[in-house]
Amino acid sequence: MVVEGYGLPHYIRTVELRHRLIGYQHDKCGEIFFSSKKYNLCPRCGKEGKIEKISLVREGVIESISINRDKKKENWIGNRAVGIVRINIDGKKVRVPTEFSDIVIPNETPFFSSKWINHRVEPTARILDHNPEGAIYYGIKFRPVLINKKVQIPFLTKLVKSKRPGISSIGISLPRYRTTAEEIARAFQLDPNYIKKGLGVEEVTVPAWDQDTGTFAIDAALDAITRLPPEFIKTIGMIVVGSESKPYSVKPTATNIQSFLGIDEDIICYDAEFACIAAGMQIKSAIALIKSGEIESALIIGADVSQGKPGDPLDLDTGAGGACFVISKYNVILEYIGMNFHVGDHPDFARRAGCPYPFHGYGLTGKPSYFAFQENAIEKTLIKYNIHPDRLKAATFHQPNHNFLRKEVKKLGLDIESRIKKELMPCIIGDPVKKIGNTYSAATMLGLAAIVNEPRHYFKIDELTAQKLGFPDPKKPSLTLEAGDIVLAGWYGSGAAGGCVLFEVTENYQKYISCTIPFSHRLTKSDVIGGKKYVSLVTRYFHKGMIKNQ
């Protein structure tokens, strides 16, 4: 959106600057400069010329950094770091002032800024501020790049139309903060095994104080787009965000995605609500619109800062994060086979207007809801497309906890033991819930990302059995997705609906995975710069907005 003039509100005047870090490049000298104003003359060479806009949302290095320690102990946001990021674009250096995120600053001990100089940083969508009326000012900050992070590039240099539409890329966004099952159990005087074994969850993701559903949705979309050629942006005709924890009750998050990516204004753009299947429900609509010729591509995003009443079983494993499916007829890695649903009026989980937390209809939970609705949708889909579970190379399901997912895997005969009895290769299961918790609308989508964005999946099988099954390396039995493989994804949304979609892996997949950061690398280690950081239960509640700053 191009907005000129100073009679407009500050929020609108600064949208491009905040969302896309718009800089300017002089066509004569080629210099790039970052400024809140567009000059008629180049401030570097002083000559007239054509001044072109250029987005500076890309990696850079820290040139300078300083900190502002917050002396008010009741302000739990804590210390902040600001400084200058140096970005290199085709040999031209441009400096951008910024606030840094995900850098832990000690309260009393000295902060050695020298160790951060020339450290790689990456752009990330964050909350910058709020205006007096309550509007959220989203914008770009920078955070440390993980030491082992690879650079993502388009896996195809141009748009190539596929035989059938499907998924062209999967982007994810996970916070770097965690709270362990032991810490949650300690706070509520529970046995840690109630969470670790009863729910099957070891730790949960926790948003930073400046992250919310909107920032996760934006970062997931930005991540997905990096593996597609620049011209792909022009093909996007639909953006949908599914969530249970919208930043606004009325204003959509989808328009934030449109603005950050610089997508044309003439698109279908809305938020969806249907509990944890809110985003999954949109896949079939996007495919139908692509087949009809109304659009060429769509972004389907699931994101949540999952909510539960403190101490409630629902709260014990709630996480945060987002995932983005790029649905298109171009550069497809997973061709769409088909999708079916099973819907009914079933209030097993809901939140009334004005209530801060959702509630469980305990008598309606579990067997009559999650299992019944999801399994009915799966059965319909497999029968309709004449696919037996034994043909599935990989599968994922909605994962409110790991034990529910594990039971679903067992019922379909996709567990390792059942497969070995049939002398079949094991099925790849996407189950990140163990390490990130229940991410509501993003749960199944992150499960599929754990399958598709991981180059190789390893199994705990003894060498003799692995040899009998035909693994190339019986000592380290592993599988990878190959062209022609069938992948299943199951959804469940309270209220209620089950969903199931089938995909077929294409020849493009091997190129895609070679240009993708492995999902396992996103589950960052705590012993590296930029890695995950463990926080207390109180900090977790503050970051999720469950405790207000005084």
Side-chain angles (χ1 to χ4, degrees):
M1 180 174 69
V2 178
V3 179
E4 302 289 348
Y6 290 91
L8 293 166
H10 179 264
Y11 183 96
I12 297 176
R13 294 202 313 270
T14 60
V15 159
E16 281 192 330
L17 192 69
R18 289 183 289 106
H19 290 186
R20 296 201 292 281
L21 286 185
I22 292 298
Y24 300 97
Q25 185 168 27
H26 189 232
D27 70 333
K28 296 291 175 60
C29 66
E31 289 294 332
I32 301 171
F33 54 94
F34 179 70
S35 171
S36 60
K37 296 181 180 180
K38 182 178 180 180
Y39 297 92
N40 294 322
L41 299 175
C42 175
R44 300 285 174 81
C45 68
K47 297 179 180 178
E48 291 187 0
K50 193 174 181 181
I51 307 293
E52 295 284 356
K53 290 182 178 180
I54 180 171
S55 175
L56 303 178
V57 180
R58 56 193 79 198
E59 286 190 10
V61 297
I62 296 176
E63 185 168 276
S64 68
I65 183 172
S66 61
I67 62 170
N68 176 20
R69 281 197 172 98
D70 197 328
K71 299 299 182 183
K72 297 179 181 179
K73 292 184 179 180
E74 69 271 16
N75 190 336
W76 295 353
I77 289 176
N79 308 317
R80 300 193 186 191
V82 296
I84 303 294
V85 170
R86 184 177 68 250
I87 300 171
N88 194 318
I89 304 175
D90 298 327
K92 301 291 183 180
K93 295 178 181 178
V94 57
R95 293 167 176 83
V96 178
T98 187
E99 180 178 340
F100 296 103
S101 285
D102 299 342
I103 292 179
V104 175
I105 303 168
N107 287 321
E108 303 297 337
T109 56
F111 177 75
F112 298 102
S113 59
S114 58
K115 83 168 190 176
W116 291 101
I117 301 301
N118 292 322
H119 189 85
R120 287 171 59 205
V121 287
E122 62 185 359
T124 176
R126 297 298 170 107
I127 297 171
L128 301 182
D129 204 350
H130 301 78
N131 74 3
E133 291 77 27
I136 303 171
Y137 278 56
Y138 291 110
I140 295 293
K141 295 182 183 180
F142 286 83
R143 68 177 179 180
V145 172
L146 290 170
I147 292 175
N148 59 358
K149 181 182 175 183
K150 63 189 284 189
V151 177
Q152 296 186 133
I153 59 174
F155 64 94
L156 293 176
T157 56
K158 61 181 180 179
L159 299 180
V160 179
K161 188 174 181 180
S162 301
K163 293 180 182 178
R164 294 182 290 180
I167 294 177
S168 300
S169 180
I170 300 179
I172 72 167
S173 175
L174 292 172
R176 293 182 178 176
Y177 292 94
R178 303 288 191 276
T179 299
T180 63
E182 286 83 358
E183 164 62 13
I184 297 172
R186 181 198 62 78
F188 291 111
Q189 297 182 341
L190 299 172
D191 182 347
N193 286 327
Y194 177 78
I195 302 172
K196 297 179 72 173
K197 293 184 178 180
L199 298 176
V201 175
E202 298 172 11
E203 57 190 46
V204 297
T205 50
V206 178
W209 68 268
D210 55 358
Q211 287 180 302
D212 67 2
T213 295
T215 64
F216 290 126
I218 295 163
D219 275 348
L222 290 170
D223 180 54
I225 291 299
T226 58
R227 293 183 289 278
L228 297 165
E231 60 269 28
F232 187 89
I233 289 286
K234 296 180 180 178
T235 73
I236 297 172
M238 178 181 183
I239 304 173
V240 186
V241 177
S243 178
E244 295 184 40
S245 53
K246 291 175 57 179
Y248 295 91
S249 294
V250 177
K251 181 191 175 301
T253 300
T255 53
N256 294 118
I257 314 297
Q258 179 270 338
S259 180
F260 269 82
L261 269 60
I263 298 171
D264 290 341
E265 293 90 343
D266 185 16
I267 63 169
I268 302 166
C269 194
Y270 63 92
D271 285 2
E273 190 281 319
F274 196 145
C276 299
I277 199 173
M281 272 266 185
Q282 312 308 312
I283 295 174
K284 196 166 189 174
S285 300
I287 292 291
L289 286 168
I290 292 171
K291 287 183 175 179
S292 71
E294 286 290 330
I295 64 173
E296 294 181 292
S297 307
L299 302 183
I300 307 299
I301 302 164
D304 262 307
V305 176
S306 304
Q307 300 160 333
K309 184 178 179 180
D312 185 272
L314 182 68
D315 169 61
L316 299 180
D317 73 338
T318 52
C324 173
F325 288 179
V326 179
I327 310 292
S328 181
K329 63 181 182 181
Y330 300 112
N331 302 13
V332 175
I333 58 169
L334 298 178
E335 287 186 343
Y336 173 85
I337 296 174
M339 187 172 193
N340 284 89
F341 302 101
H342 185 80
V343 179
D345 186 1
H346 192 85
D348 61 309
F349 169 91
R351 180 167 61 182
R352 297 291 299 272
C355 295
Y357 303 113
F359 64 85
H360 256 128
Y362 287 98
L364 299 171
T365 299
K367 187 175 181 180
S369 56
Y370 172 90
F371 294 105
F373 281 80
Q374 186 171 228
E375 287 168 14
N376 269 290
I378 292 170
E379 183 180 5
K380 289 177 184 177
T381 308
L382 293 176
I383 291 174
K384 183 175 180 178
Y385 298 101
N386 194 29
I387 294 177
H388 192 277
D390 289 350
R391 285 185 58 194
L392 299 176
K393 179 68 169 286
T396 190
F397 306 91
H398 180 50
Q399 33 207 285
N401 57 66
H402 188 258
N403 283 348
F404 269 29
L405 178 142
R406 183 172 51 81
K407 289 177 182 177
E408 200 72 304
V409 170
K410 183 78 173 177
K411 286 183 179 181
L412 286 169
L414 302 179
D415 58 299
I416 291 179
E417 293 78 11
S418 298
R419 285 288 186 118
I420 290 176
K421 286 180 181 178
K422 295 180 180 180
E423 298 184 351
L424 297 173
M425 284 285 193
C427 183
I428 300 169
I429 303 297
D431 58 351
V433 65
K434 291 186 293 185
K435 295 293 185 180
I436 64 176
N438 180 8
T439 51
Y440 285 10
S441 297
T444 294
M445 300 177 75
L446 287 169
L448 190 60
I451 294 170
V452 177
N453 287 8
E454 189 68 28
R456 188 162 290 277
H457 301 267
Y458 293 88
F459 299 91
K460 294 180 180 179
I461 302 175
D462 65 85
E463 186 176 344
L464 182 60
T465 302
Q467 192 171 10
K468 289 180 179 179
L469 292 175
F471 280 101
D473 184 1
K475 292 184 179 180
K476 293 182 178 180
S478 64
L479 293 174
T480 186
L481 292 182
E482 299 174 345
D485 288 341
I486 305 297
V487 180
L488 178 147
W491 266 271
Y492 174 70
S494 294
C500 177
V501 62
L502 293 170
F503 295 104
E504 182 177 346
V505 181
T506 73
E507 297 287 348
N508 291 332
Y509 176 73
Q510 294 305 322
K511 294 179 181 178
Y512 169 85
I513 197 62
S514 67
C515 298
T516 300
I517 298 171
F519 186 90
S520 57
H521 289 190
R522 302 296 187 95
L523 302 177
T524 54
K525 297 180 179 180
S526 58
D527 58 348
V528 299
I529 290 179
K532 62 187 176 186
K533 305 163 184 66
Y534 290 98
V535 297
S536 68
L537 183 73
V538 172
T539 302
R540 175 189 179 221
Y541 284 161
F542 175 70
H543 284 191
K544 294 176 76 169
M546 296 165 69
I547 299 177
K548 302 300 180 183
N549 186 31
Q550 301 297 320

